Amino acid sequence: MSTSPSYSDDDRIDDLIESERNPHREPPVRITGLMVQYYHVCRRELWFMSRGIDIDRSTPNIQRGTYTDETSYRDSRRSFSVDGRIALDVLDDGDVMEVKVSSSLEEPPRMQLLYYLWYLDRIHGVEKSGVLAFPREREREEVELNEETAVSIEETLSGIIDVVEAESPPPLEKKPYCDSCLYQDICWL
């Protein structure tokens, strides 16, 4: 198991790592892969989600993503849940795979996959490589956890803790995809 301290100077990350490693200690914030993705898409969306305000999962966009995830590469990958926090798909060759419908927003799913790799490494001492796949576009990208990407993940985790612990949502910030966001009705009230 990897026992070296976090790459971050943020004591909250060290605390997060220690509490995740200890089954008798609750982490300060239970961070999931979806939270990492939301943090890189829209921090207000993350704040709403952290308060139990969830989106309608029966919308066509969500259903399309679920269908793509469930049907792509199904003969060459297996799904696992780790600590009730992350849901991994592992390819036959051992790589961790994240499947998305579109590469229009590449950073959020890349960071989500890097979080999975970081979690496996830092919490369980398991080193893995990753593959980010966009099957409808026939694109795949190799993703590796290294010191630089680990630092980025730990900065993301610090940011997530800040957002989740805030009393109110982050300020409104108009983004190109706000019109198709499923939180827009409550966000722009």
Side-chain angles (χ1 to χ4, degrees), residues 46-157:
L46 169 63
W47 190 88
F48 289 131
M49 182 258 239
S50 75
R51 299 302 189 272
I53 302 170
D54 203 5
I55 57 175
D56 179 4
R57 301 245 168 236
S58 65
T59 64
N61 282 347
I62 299 296
Q63 299 257 330
R64 187 176 73 231
T66 301
Y67 176 80
T68 299
D69 182 50
E70 290 174 353
T71 59
S72 301
Y73 308 100
R74 68 176 166 204
D75 294 334
S76 60
R77 66 181 176 146
R78 294 171 312 287
S79 297
F80 298 91
S81 176
V82 180
D83 299 335
R85 277 244 226 301
I86 57 176
L88 296 177
D89 292 320
V90 179
L91 293 169
D92 290 340
D93 67 3
D95 285 348
V96 176
M97 174 176 261
E98 183 63 25
V99 175
K100 296 297 180 187
V101 172
S102 168
S103 63
S104 61
L105 291 173
E106 285 187 44
E107 183 184 18
R110 183 179 301 111
M111 294 302 286
Q112 182 178 5
L113 178 55
L114 281 167
Y115 172 64
Y116 295 159
L117 300 176
W118 178 91
Y119 191 92
L120 289 172
D121 179 59
R122 304 304 305 152
I123 307 307
H124 293 287
V126 175
E127 292 183 21
K128 291 286 184 183
S129 294
V131 176
L132 182 56
F134 305 101
R136 292 180 173 213
E137 299 170 6
R138 300 186 191 280
E139 286 186 36
R140 288 171 65 128
E141 173 190 337
E142 302 275 329
V143 176
E144 297 290 331
L145 183 68
N146 55 42
E147 187 172 341
E148 181 183 340
T149 58
V151 168
S152 294
I153 286 299
E154 292 179 6
E155 289 170 353
T156 294
L157 299 178

Side-chain angles (χ1 to χ4, degrees), residues 44-45 47-49 51-55 169 172 181-189:
R44 282 179 71 85
E45 185 176 33
W47 190 88
F48 289 131
M49 182 258 239
R51 299 302 189 272
I53 302 170
D54 203 5
I55 57 175
L172 281 167
C181 177
L182 298 174
Y183 283 98
Q184 71 174 322
D185 291 337
I186 59 171
C187 196
W188 293 94
L189 288 177

